[in-house]
């Protein structure tokens, strides 16, 4: 392959570094294109996504697309949306939910992949692991406080979200401000970016 970006994606998808620790074997899932304006950093593929090879191909993905106001066609267009999990392979089940993403993935691939995405204007950080990696000491004491402080991060191009898993429904019920306040702002911004409009849209959220 002569295209370095195509080769990088091929290398990620061919990665077998954690093969001995993955209950269903390796199947790295990633979506990206150098033209992408929106980046979504999540946790790790679930079992259904492992089977299909399609990122966010589950109930969590349906809710995430609704939050973002994106159609499946927009969401799965790599020239618009880069989808980069903290762990590229399904890590297996835990006592409650899935295991954490494998720690080897982000140090091995994220810097190289992000460096090849020069047009990213906004990065959606879905859940604890993505926020811990990218926000580090800028996080608040809890995930809920971090999400509620979304305006503090927006100027730097970050937008923290809770995980859209049905398991988080109790949190959403206890925090009605999320759907009343943040979802409309997300949809306005992401909608503009999905149409490849100016980054100025990021500066005019309520």
């Amino acid at each position: 392959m002569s295209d370095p970006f195509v080769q990088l994606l091929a290398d990620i998808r061919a990665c077998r570094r954690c093969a001995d620790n993955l209950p269903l074997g390796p199947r790295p899932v990633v979506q990206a294109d150098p033209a992408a304006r929106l980046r979504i950093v999540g946790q790790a593929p679930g079992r259904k996504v492992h089977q299909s090879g399609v990122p966010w191909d589950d109930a969590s993905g349906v809710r995430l697309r609704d939050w973002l106001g994106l159609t499946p066609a927009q969401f799965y267009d790599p020239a618009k949306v880069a989808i980069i999990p903290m762990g590229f392979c399904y890590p297996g089940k835990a006592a409650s939910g899935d295991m954490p993403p494998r720690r080897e993935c982000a140090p091995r691939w994220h810097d190289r992949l992000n460096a090849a995405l020069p047009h990213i204007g906004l990065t959606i950080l879905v859940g604890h692991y993505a926020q811990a990696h990218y926000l580090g000491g800028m996080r608040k004491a809890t995930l809920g406080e971090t999400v509620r402080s979304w305006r503090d991060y927006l100027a730097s191009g970050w937008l923290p979200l809770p995980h859209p898993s049905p398991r988080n429904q109790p949190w959403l019920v206890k925090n009605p401000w999320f759907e009343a306040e943040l979802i409309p702002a997300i949809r306005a911004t992401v909608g503009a970016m999905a149409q490849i409009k100016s980054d100025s849209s990021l500066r005019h959220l309520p």
Side-chain angles (χ1 to χ4, degrees), residues 35-99:
R37 303 275 320 288
L38 176 66
R39 175 172 47 207
I40 299 173
V41 182
Q43 184 166 307
R47 188 184 186 99
K48 183 176 180 182
V49 171
H50 173 85
Q51 293 170 340
S52 70
V54 178
W56 293 99
D57 181 27
D58 52 19
S60 295
V62 172
R63 173 174 274 173
L64 179 61
R65 288 189 289 277
D66 179 63
W67 286 354
L68 301 180
L70 293 178
T71 65
Q74 292 170 321
F75 187 84
Y76 289 115
D77 182 348
K80 290 183 170 66
V81 182
I83 301 175
I84 306 170
M86 289 301 299
F88 292 95
C89 294
Y90 171 60
K93 291 293 288 184
S96 176
D98 290 340
M99 295 285 288

Side-chain angles (χ1 to χ4, degrees), residues 23 31 34-35 52 62 69 83 89 91 97 99 101 105 107 153 156 160 165 172 199-200:
Q31 171 181 301
S52 70
V62 172
I83 301 175
C89 294
M99 295 285 288
C105 283
Y153 304 106
S156 299
S165 168
L172 295 171
D199 284 343
S200 63

